[in-house]
Amino acid sequence: MSTKLDKDDVRAAYEDVRDDASATLWAVFKYEGNTIQRSATGDDYGEFQSQFGDDERAFGFIRITTGDELSKRSKFALVTWAGSLLSALKRARLSTDKSLIKQVIQNFAVEIMTSEQDEIRIEYITDEVKKAGGANYGTGQ
């Protein structure tokens, strides 16, 4: 059975995260049967990390604010989560299903595919976004 995407639901969450006027900083999309849909959204980065279980596959979209005191801008990351306890079949289908998510989530600075909790910590994602952004003024480096 092929995977479906609830495009309207995913698009609404995606646009909410991208909206600088919104308090929503992240959205997580999980499988409900064979349909990928919004599972959770929030404004607490710690809550984002708790959304990913070892027996799950999911996608996350997160807003990171970068820059210095003179110039702040929002950057975005797409996370593809493949829990360490996933079957080989579900892990393999994840890459094809990611193309469905990318039909809606098209603008992001960095893409992270992981099964490591450490790689969905806000500090790790922020570092990856900064690396992808090139010049990093005002960091003392």
Side-chain angles (χ1 to χ4, degrees), residues 90-104:
K90 284 184 177 180
R91 189 175 295 276
R93 293 225 16 224
L94 195 55
S95 62
T96 7
D97 293 347
K98 182 168 42 172
S99 67
L100 292 172
I101 281 286
K102 285 183 169 182
Q103 290 176 7
V104 176

Side-chain angles (χ1 to χ4, degrees), residues 67-81:
D68 56 27
E69 53 282 339
L70 298 176
S71 173
K72 299 235 184 251
R73 60 184 57 93
S74 294
K75 300 286 185 175
F76 302 91
L78 175 64
V79 175
T80 301
W81 174 259

Side-chain angles (χ1 to χ4, degrees), residues 75-137:
K75 300 286 185 175
F76 302 91
L78 175 64
V79 175
T80 301
W81 174 259
S84 58
L85 301 178
L86 270 184
S87 71
L89 180 60
K90 284 184 177 180
R91 189 175 295 276
R93 293 225 16 224
L94 195 55
S95 62
T96 7
D97 293 347
K98 182 168 42 172
S99 67
L100 292 172
I101 281 286
K102 285 183 169 182
Q103 290 176 7
V104 176
I105 298 176
Q106 298 180 348
N107 297 307
F108 47 90
V110 69
E111 183 175 348
I112 299 168
M113 180 154 186
T114 188
S115 59
E116 301 293 324
Q117 283 284 334
D118 228 30
E119 293 181 1
I120 52 175
R121 288 182 12 263
I122 186 62
E123 297 83 6
Y124 179 84
I125 296 171
T126 299
D127 287 347
E128 293 300 301
V129 167
K130 285 179 181 176
K131 283 183 209 171
N136 193 13
Y137 303 109

